[in-house]
């Protein structure tokens, strides 16, 4: 039981060091101090923190989600059109090869008789 607690504590300490060395603790501390020092507290502390850390606001996020959905629909439509065009191109190539073979052999292919 003691060994488990020591391993858990070691993992916690390693994670804390990781957060500290990557600047996360400093950034969070600055944002929380800025929130604390606000005379008029924002209605959404979470949105305040997100904005201070450079993330989009809730409305910006919703707009980005809608834009992404529209772009996904356009992408899907274009992909379907592209696949259809590739299929048509392949059919044209095949028909051209058949016509060329007819011209070279002087007679229609046997499967067309």
């Amino acid at each position: 039981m003691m060994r488990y607690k020591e391993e858990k504590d070691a993992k916690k300490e390693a994670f804390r060091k990781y957060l500290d060395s990557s600047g996360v603790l400093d950034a969070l501390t600055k944002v929380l101090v800025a929130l604390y020092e606000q005379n008029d507290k924002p209605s959404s502390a979470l949105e305040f923190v997100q904005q201070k850390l450079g993330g989009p606001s809730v409305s910006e996020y919703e707009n980005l989600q809608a834009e992404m959905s529209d772009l996904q629909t356009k992408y899907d439509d274009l992909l379907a059109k592209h696949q259809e065009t590739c299929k048509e191109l392949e059919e044209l190539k095949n028909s051209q090869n058949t016509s060329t073979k007819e011209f070279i052999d002087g007679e229609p292919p046997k499967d067309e008789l």
Side-chain angles (χ1 to χ4, degrees), residues 15 19-20 22-36 45-46 48-50 52-53:
F15 186 66
L19 292 177
D20 190 33
S22 62
V24 173
L25 291 179
D26 188 45
L28 287 174
T29 300
K30 287 178 182 177
V31 170
L32 292 174
V33 167
L35 178 60
Y36 176 78
L46 180 58
F48 176 87
V49 170
Q50 287 172 334
K52 290 294 183 180
L53 290 176

Side-chain angles (χ1 to χ4, degrees), residues 7-25 28:
E7 287 177 6
K8 190 175 177 181
D9 289 343
K11 284 184 180 181
K12 282 182 183 179
E13 183 60 22
F15 186 66
R16 191 198 65 72
K17 286 180 181 179
Y18 162 73
L19 292 177
D20 190 33
S21 66
S22 62
V24 173
L25 291 179
L28 287 174

Side-chain angles (χ1 to χ4, degrees), residues 21-80:
S21 66
S22 62
V24 173
L25 291 179
D26 188 45
L28 287 174
T29 300
K30 287 178 182 177
V31 170
L32 292 174
V33 167
L35 178 60
Y36 176 78
E37 291 175 347
Q38 289 286 312
N39 290 331
D40 297 324
K41 301 294 182 225
S43 60
S44 173
L46 180 58
E47 193 168 321
F48 176 87
V49 170
Q50 287 172 334
Q51 286 175 344
K52 290 294 183 180
L53 290 176
S57 67
V58 173
S59 62
E60 290 171 331
Y61 178 77
E62 289 169 352
N63 289 339
L64 289 171
Q65 286 290 97
E67 182 181 357
M68 186 177 80
S69 178
D70 291 345
L71 290 172
Q72 184 66 48
T73 301
K74 288 178 184 177
Y75 169 79
D76 292 342
D77 292 344
L78 288 171
L79 182 60

